[in-house]
Amino acid sequence: MSTASPAQVTEKRYTTPKRGRWKRFKNNKTLLLMCFPAIAFFLIFSYLPMPGLYLAFIKYNYSDGIFGSAFAGLENFRFLVMTGDLWRLTFNTIAYNIAFILLGNMLQITVAVLLNEMRSKWFKKVSQTMMFLPYFVSAVLIGLIAYNILSYDYGILNSVLHSLGLDPVKAYSSPEAWPFIIVITYLWQSTGYGSIVYFAAIMGLDSEIVEAAEIDGANAFQRIRYIVLPWLKPTFIILLLFSLGGILKGNFGLFFNLVGANNTALYASTDIIETYVFRSLMTNFNFSMGSAVSLYQSLFGFVVVLSANWLVKKVSPDNSLF
């Protein structure tokens, strides 16, 4: 029986892992090559711009540049808190996203279940296509459609009200109406697309379980309640955790094209973090304030994801992200 010398053992210990990693790299080079565009995207657009967060802690001016401008510490954040803008932006953004997440997932699950219960394949395919189309409609076109309906002078709504002898509606100066308009528009655009994920999950359900329930006398509502909905629970939790990560990330395209960024009459109910940052950069040219709000948005989302994942792990460990 041969024994290896300490030098050989040491050489094997430090060379084998490196050779193993290189071998795994060679064996999976095709997959790594396919992942390279995604890796490059996140490196370029997510990690390389991170030093720009320093803008949030300075009083930026063009002549001195980023690293030559005066250091302001937390002054930009203090100003946001003192003016009340931070609380208004946070409340509006979270309130809209909660409505989008809860109502959106409820409608998507409902649509997916209804599609699954359809017996006509032709009608099912046509329904899926019709509900999927709004997702591809540009936010610019949605804003144009909304303006042609809600415009005070030329809108369809006021034309109908005028023909009925009723007073016209000043939609673009009525902040209380816009939460309903924005939520309904979002649901109209996203429900068909989001239902595909749940419908695909239902397709993975073992048909023998459903057939056994039918033989035992379960009706459609009982099958949905006791079989389909529990089956969709893991998918719902995963999508919920992903959504919570962006709970402070508003749908800028939708808000900007529906409301605009400079309609002061609607700030109370429609101004979110993205529109505030856009206004800070493009109208007020206040890069430091926009960066401060963006940093606050990112940190808040990070904390929410960790907290939600911790809670899910306590309740249902198998459904947590990590």
Side-chain angles (χ1 to χ4, degrees), residues 172-205:
Y172 286 95
S173 58
S174 304
E176 65 277 359
W178 280 94
F180 300 98
I181 297 172
I182 291 172
V183 171
I184 291 172
T185 304
Y186 175 84
L187 295 176
W188 168 78
Q189 187 180 27
S190 63
T191 298
Y193 177 81
S195 64
I196 292 177
V197 178
Y198 290 107
F199 185 70
I202 294 175
M203 291 295 99
L205 179 61

Side-chain angles (χ1 to χ4, degrees), residues 8-288:
Q8 291 175 330
V9 173
T10 303
E11 181 181 358
K12 183 179 180 180
R13 182 185 301 169
Y14 287 102
T15 57
T16 302
K18 293 181 180 179
R19 291 176 181 173
R21 285 195 294 268
W22 176 248
K23 187 176 181 180
R24 288 197 300 270
F25 176 80
K26 289 181 65 177
N27 293 337
N28 299 289
K29 60 183 180 181
T30 304
L31 294 175
L32 292 172
L33 186 62
M34 293 174 64
C35 293
F36 178 76
I39 296 172
F41 173 84
F42 283 106
L43 285 175
I44 295 172
F45 295 102
S46 297
Y47 289 95
L48 290 181
M50 278 188 176
L53 294 174
Y54 182 67
L55 276 167
F57 304 97
I58 63 174
K59 191 174 182 180
Y60 178 76
N61 63 74
Y62 294 94
S63 59
D64 296 330
I66 296 178
F67 297 103
S69 300
F71 184 76
L74 300 177
E75 182 65 25
N76 294 320
F77 298 94
R78 189 184 71 84
F79 178 79
L80 286 170
V81 174
M82 295 298 293
T83 57
D85 289 340
L86 192 63
W87 308 123
R88 172 172 55 84
L89 297 172
T90 302
F91 175 79
N92 286 345
T93 307
I94 291 178
Y96 278 113
N97 278 317
I98 288 176
F100 293 163
I101 293 171
L102 295 182
L103 295 178
N105 279 280
M106 288 172 58
L107 277 178
Q108 291 162 16
I109 292 173
T110 302
V111 169
V113 170
L114 292 177
L115 286 174
N116 183 60
E117 292 298 318
M118 290 180 182
R119 295 293 176 257
S120 173
K121 293 184 178 180
W122 177 86
F123 186 75
K124 183 185 296 186
K125 291 181 178 179
V126 172
S127 301
Q128 281 182 296
T129 303
M130 295 299 293
M131 289 185 295
F132 196 67
L133 286 177
Y135 181 78
F136 294 101
V137 178
S138 169
V140 178
L141 183 58
I142 292 175
L144 180 63
I145 294 172
Y147 182 79
N148 280 275
I149 295 175
L150 301 174
S151 173
Y152 181 80
D153 296 318
Y154 309 106
I156 298 174
L157 176 62
N158 283 338
S159 298
V160 173
L161 292 176
H162 179 74
S163 64
L164 296 175
L166 302 175
D167 295 331
V169 176
K170 297 180 180 179
Y172 286 95
S173 58
S174 304
E176 65 277 359
W178 280 94
F180 300 98
I181 297 172
I182 291 172
V183 171
I184 291 172
T185 304
Y186 175 84
L187 295 176
W188 168 78
Q189 187 180 27
S190 63
T191 298
Y193 177 81
S195 64
I196 292 177
V197 178
Y198 290 107
F199 185 70
I202 294 175
M203 291 295 99
L205 179 61
D206 190 352
S207 59
E208 293 182 358
I209 299 176
V210 180
E211 292 173 359
E214 291 178 351
I215 294 174
D216 290 338
N219 56 37
F221 293 101
Q222 291 172 330
R223 293 196 306 271
I224 292 171
R225 179 180 178 183
Y226 295 107
I227 299 176
V228 177
L229 292 183
W231 178 261
L232 293 177
K233 179 183 174 182
T235 304
F236 170 75
I237 293 176
I238 293 297
L239 293 178
L240 178 63
L241 289 175
F242 284 145
S243 300
L244 288 177
I247 198 168
L248 268 188
K249 183 179 181 182
N251 191 331
F252 174 76
L254 180 65
F255 281 80
F256 179 77
N257 288 284
L258 276 179
V259 182
N262 297 310
N263 190 343
T264 57
L266 303 180
Y267 280 176
S269 62
T270 64
D271 199 20
I272 60 173
I273 289 179
E274 269 71 13
T275 55
Y276 182 89
V277 171
F278 177 84
R279 199 163 56 247
S280 298
L281 299 179
M282 304 302 295
T283 304
N284 303 326
F285 302 103
N286 193 336
F287 294 93
S288 297

